[in-house]
Amino acid sequence: MILKNGFQQQQQDNKGTFVHPHKLSRLISIRNRTISIYNCKHTSYSLSLCSSLTYTTGYLRRKTCHGGCCACVNVHFVLFVFINLFLKSCCGQLLINVQNQGGEVIQESITSNVSEDVITLEFQKTDGTLITQIIDFRNEVRILKALVLGEEERGQSLYQVMCFVTKFIKGDFISSDAMAKLRQKNPSTIRIPEEDKGKEAFIMTSWVHLNRSMAISRHLMTVCSEALDATYIRNVDLKAWAELPGSSISNLEAATEKFPDTLTSRCSEVTSLWAPCLCSLETCIGWYPCGLKYCKGKQGDSSAAAQTNYRCGIKTCRKCSQFTYYVRQKQLCLWDE
């Protein structure tokens, strides 16, 4: 998103360009969790939008430089007041230390983008697998992306990426607005979820053609760009989305391609590395805010206040997902042996 208010720049004998803070709005480009400030065609300045609240004054140094366009931007407090105001409508981020069932501690990053109505949860498992979960509230879509490191000594590539697209169940995660307002009193605390929701099995039935995936979610093409041939979906979810306003089963089905009907062998039962089979991948979200807690007005308050419920905390959960899906060769599923 580019903010397009007018701006001016003053050149100072090719030593740099100074941009007045109140004229910076057009220079700000926001993508995901990064804010980039542009002062010309070839130069950009960047800082993390959701984790740079400690920067209240100072300079942002150039990343690239071409010709007489090199410059530093003197960013004053006025700019960061603007950024803080924007954060309230854009995103909020939490870094959570979570203890898994094996007793190991991993760090989750949970980011809320209120304007897009999207929550992103990301963490790296102890085996190196990178898990990214995107919840698109507007379209009731959950995207779980897994980047799995390959076994190069067994002929696999450095890594492979899979995306699993399922219908998001309302009430299984707090809203993006509520998420953006969460704060931690003790960020270093190791969190343990209050409720274990067990494991849910997903039998994927089709591939997704990302170039037609806008009918499902406009975030799919970006999130799963490295999984062009490995983005999976279920027919039962297509039918559920078709019931939503503005959706149609024909558009949804046009974005997918069904797996072959004849395949029933699991990869653990197949000996040839080049034979097709049904692969299984399991992952667990060790901690996430799955609901809000409400309290009643304290005794001694006015009668109206005493009858009012107010938010007083969050409920936290743990949940595992097991995805079963078609692979064209067992070589792509060596962990399922």
Side-chain angles (χ1 to χ4, degrees):
M1 178 179 67
I2 307 295
L3 304 181
K4 299 182 178 178
N5 294 335
F7 73 99
Q8 297 176 352
Q9 54 186 31
Q10 301 173 350
Q11 293 189 349
Q12 299 176 349
D13 300 327
N14 292 328
K15 293 181 180 180
T17 301
F18 177 82
V19 184
H20 291 283
H22 70 279
K23 297 178 180 178
L24 278 171
S25 56
R26 183 178 173 184
L27 305 180
I28 298 174
S29 171
I30 298 166
R31 291 176 179 270
N32 297 328
R33 300 190 302 272
T34 301
I35 179 170
S36 298
I37 303 175
Y38 300 91
N39 82 316
C40 69
K41 183 177 180 180
H42 303 290
T43 308
S44 65
Y45 309 83
S46 296
L47 72 157
S48 171
L49 178 61
C50 294
S51 61
S52 295
L53 297 181
T54 54
Y55 290 91
T56 54
T57 59
Y59 292 86
L60 301 177
R61 296 293 173 178
R62 62 180 178 269
K63 288 169 54 181
T64 58
C65 175
H66 296 275
C69 194
C70 305
C72 288
V73 176
N74 186 3
V75 183
H76 290 287
F77 181 74
V78 174
L79 173 62
F80 286 93
V81 169
F82 167 79
I83 292 175
N84 279 279
L85 291 173
F86 185 87
L87 279 171
K88 294 181 180 180
S89 62
C90 168
C91 59
Q93 183 186 52
L94 290 180
L95 296 177
I96 308 293
N97 297 310
V98 182
Q99 186 174 28
N100 63 21
Q101 288 190 320
E104 299 160 316
V105 177
I106 61 174
Q107 189 176 73
E108 291 181 0
S109 168
I110 309 178
T111 304
S112 175
N113 187 322
V114 178
S115 61
E116 294 285 342
D117 206 6
V118 166
I119 288 179
T120 302
L121 186 153
E122 192 168 41
F123 65 94
Q124 188 168 27
K125 298 170 65 174
T126 54
D127 64 0
T129 299
L130 181 64
I131 301 295
T132 304
Q133 177 179 268
I134 309 291
I135 297 177
D136 177 357
F137 288 90
R138 290 177 184 171
N139 295 293
E140 299 183 15
V141 171
R142 181 184 76 146
I143 307 167
L144 192 139
K145 180 174 75 171
L147 186 154
V148 180
L149 299 180
E151 299 183 46
E152 294 182 86
E153 68 278 5
R154 299 182 66 180
Q156 288 189 318
S157 58
L158 184 62
Y159 66 90
Q160 61 173 310
V161 179
M162 293 83 67
C163 277
F164 304 95
V165 187
T166 57
K167 189 176 187 302
F168 171 68
I169 306 301
K170 287 186 175 181
D172 198 35
F173 210 111
I174 65 173
S175 68
S176 60
D177 180 65
M179 183 70 225
K181 295 174 182 177
L182 289 185
R183 300 292 181 269
Q184 289 192 89
K185 292 182 178 179
N186 301 299
S188 61
T189 300
I190 297 175
R191 307 291 176 179
I192 299 175
E194 298 169 324
E195 180 182 346
D196 189 337
K197 291 197 169 187
K199 180 170 64 178
E200 185 173 2
F202 298 90
I203 309 298
M204 315 311 287
T205 61
S206 306
W207 291 284
V208 176
H209 295 296
L210 292 180
N211 59 344
R212 307 176 200 161
S213 63
M214 285 286 289
I216 302 169
S217 170
R218 72 183 190 87
H219 302 286
L220 262 174
M221 188 65 181
T222 302
V223 174
C224 303
S225 59
E226 293 184 281
L228 288 175
D229 298 319
T231 299
Y232 308 101
I233 205 163
R234 300 189 304 171
N235 188 56
V236 64
D237 290 328
L238 295 178
K239 293 179 179 178
W241 287 319
E243 301 297 323
L244 298 177
S247 185
S248 72
I249 191 64
S250 59
N251 289 338
L252 293 167
E253 289 180 342
T256 67
E257 178 185 347
K258 289 186 178 180
F259 296 157
D261 294 329
T262 56
L263 185 65
T264 58
S265 300
R266 301 184 65 87
C267 290
S268 57
E269 302 168 345
V270 173
T271 56
S272 173
L273 290 177
W274 314 111
C277 55
L278 293 176
C279 184
S280 182
L281 180 71
E282 181 177 327
T283 189
C284 298
I285 306 296
W287 186 100
Y288 67 96
C290 53
L292 296 173
K293 293 180 178 178
Y294 291 88
C295 299
K296 294 183 178 180
K298 296 180 180 180
Q299 292 183 354
D301 294 344
S302 65
S303 57
Q307 297 176 4
T308 301
N309 292 336
Y310 63 93
R311 295 178 184 179
C312 56
I314 59 170
K315 176 184 177 181
T316 59
C317 295
R318 175 185 187 273
K319 188 174 183 179
C320 297
S321 300
Q322 183 178 46
F323 301 98
T324 301
Y325 57 101
Y326 175 93
V327 290
R328 293 180 173 89
Q329 50 186 257
K330 181 180 177 177
Q331 180 75 357
L332 298 173
C333 187
L334 295 182
W335 59 82
D336 190 15
E337 293 184 315

